[in-house]
Amino acid sequence: MTKVEGVIFDMDGLLFDTELIYYRSTQKVADAMGFPYSRALYQKFIGVSDEEVQGNYHEIYKGHGKEKVDEFIRLAYEDTYQEFEAGNVPLKEGVVELLTYLEEKNIPRVVASSNVRSTIDLLLKNAEIRHYFDDIISCENVRRAKPDPEIFQVALARLGTSAEKTLILEDSYHGVTAAHTAGIPVIMVPDLLEPTKDMEEKTLNILTSLKEVPGFI
């Protein structure tokens, strides 16, 4: 690709090792409430908006009744957020090194996450990396979640760069698809989801760590 003038970061599973925390908290609550749950089910919803995930839970567990499903969602969220507040969220390998490299090269950086702004702010603050980012785009800033490209279109406008000179970093299928649809080059750094042939075709490259990204900038 041409010289990179801006980088858009996903957050969950890319900057932070949050996906396992989400899964473990949800599994713990599901077990306590007698809801059938599994890692395979969780992985179906990686990169999906909270609204869509909750809608799926209501459909999957409708036999348990709406109130019990609402309680399941609430308790899983509360357990997860307690982990976040306690600072029990490790950064993914190479995050600080890449952000430092981009800062030294004066390449603007933004976060474009399907998460809520309060959670994004909490995680970035606790990890002491908020200052590396010029802007944050959250689910509150868009009407349609990934795989719709809207969040990346908003991020691109905030950066003020052209699509061909911008790089997106993603870990999820929905995120890669959104980037591809937006016409913005994307590198996938897989987390819990193994890359597929479709992902290979839609990405600039698939890397094992953010440490490898400077080689493409």
Side-chain angles (χ1 to χ4, degrees):
M1 64 179 294
T2 57
K3 184 177 182 294
V4 174
E5 295 182 354
V7 179
I8 301 171
F9 287 79
D10 176 48
M11 187 184 75
D12 290 302
L14 183 87
L15 291 174
F16 295 98
D17 197 4
T18 49
E19 297 295 359
L20 276 177
I21 295 173
Y22 286 123
Y23 163 65
R24 288 168 181 164
S25 291
T26 308
Q27 185 71 66
K28 180 171 72 174
V29 173
D31 290 345
M33 296 184 68
F35 281 37
Y37 198 75
S38 67
R39 181 162 170 164
L41 178 59
Y42 173 77
Q43 289 185 178
K44 288 183 179 180
F45 303 132
I46 291 177
V48 176
S49 69
D50 286 351
E51 183 179 9
E52 188 174 345
V53 171
Q54 291 169 17
N56 276 285
Y57 284 158
H58 275 287
E59 179 61 29
I60 293 168
Y61 301 122
K62 60 185 176 183
H64 293 266
K66 183 180 183 302
E67 288 186 2
K68 194 170 182 182
V69 178
D70 283 339
E71 183 182 10
F72 163 67
I73 293 169
R74 177 181 61 80
L75 292 175
Y77 176 81
E78 288 177 356
D79 192 89
T80 302
Y81 205 76
Q82 286 173 6
E83 292 294 314
F84 289 175
E85 288 186 314
N88 298 329
V89 188
L91 285 168
K92 298 287 285 186
E93 181 185 41
V95 169
V96 174
E97 292 90 338
L98 175 57
L99 291 173
T100 301
Y101 174 84
L102 295 173
E103 184 177 54
E104 290 172 350
K105 296 292 184 181
N106 293 314
I107 298 174
R109 307 153 301 276
V110 301
V111 172
S113 169
S114 298
N115 217 317
V116 295
R117 180 61 186 259
S118 59
T119 298
I120 298 170
D121 286 339
L122 174 65
L123 293 177
L124 294 180
K125 179 183 176 182
N126 283 353
E128 299 182 349
I129 60 171
R130 173 63 183 90
H131 64 283
Y132 284 110
F133 295 100
D134 300 286
D135 210 339
I136 295 170
I137 299 90
S138 67
C139 65
E140 291 99 334
N141 300 121
V142 296
R143 291 178 296 173
R144 299 174 298 277
K146 303 171 188 176
D148 189 278
E150 183 183 9
I151 194 166
F152 290 139
Q153 292 165 341
V154 172
L156 190 67
R158 298 274 186 93
L159 278 172
T161 53
S162 62
E164 64 271 15
K165 293 184 178 180
T166 303
L167 177 65
I168 292 175
L169 300 174
E170 264 286 355
D171 70 294
S172 74
Y173 299 160
H174 277 4
V176 168
T177 299
H180 180 74
T181 304
I184 304 171
V186 56
I187 287 176
M188 184 181 189
V189 185
D191 183 33
L192 298 185
L193 299 176
E194 291 295 325
T196 63
K197 181 66 175 177
D198 183 47
M199 293 299 101
E200 291 176 4
E201 293 173 352
K202 290 178 177 177
T203 56
L204 183 66
N205 214 311
I206 296 176
L207 307 179
T208 59
S209 167
L210 290 174
K211 282 185 175 181
E212 302 172 62
V213 173
F216 294 85
I217 294 176

